[in-house]
Amino acid sequence: MGYELRVVRESPLAFAELAKAIAPAGFELRGSDEIVIGHGGDVHPVARWRDQLVGEPGSDWQVAQLLRLSTALGARLVGEDGEIYTLRDGVMEVEAAGSVTELGKFDEIIDSGPTAWSP
């Protein structure tokens, strides 16, 4: 199991609401619990439904997709250690322990596709 990022909302997210909200943002529900999105002719997993949306990203692209998904749902993207992922002026950022780190330009990360992080 990898590092988890959670889509967190002030009001709980019901599964029926999730299923209705993801399609306009380009996401699909595969099976009963997996959220996927297409890129380069393939379909890639982004998150799983576990009474909330949880993703275990393996690339910056997947983090960007989780950020898109959280925005589409009116939620925040939060890491296991409480860090918060945001998009400001087209740049993905993560805020942790009072400091902000830029992750990269959102559009460039989306365009690059789901290239896995190197170990």
Side-chain angles (χ1 to χ4, degrees), residues 7 22 27 35 46-47 53 64-73:
V7 176
I22 63 172
F27 296 94
I35 308 300
V46 174
L53 283 173
Q65 295 296 353
L66 281 163
L67 190 53
R68 282 185 62 233
L69 183 58
S70 66
T71 300
L73 296 169

Side-chain angles (χ1 to χ4, degrees), residues 15-71:
F15 184 77
E17 184 180 0
L18 167 72
K20 184 178 173 183
I22 63 172
F27 296 94
E28 299 175 26
L29 182 60
R30 182 167 61 184
S32 63
D33 68 344
E34 190 172 45
I35 308 300
V36 298
I37 193 162
H39 181 83
D42 291 321
V43 175
H44 303 274
V46 174
R48 290 202 171 277
W49 176 255
R50 297 183 191 150
D51 292 328
Q52 67 178 1
L53 283 173
V54 177
E56 294 179 29
S59 69
D60 287 344
W61 181 85
Q62 286 175 308
V63 174
Q65 295 296 353
L66 281 163
L67 190 53
R68 282 185 62 233
L69 183 58
S70 66
T71 300

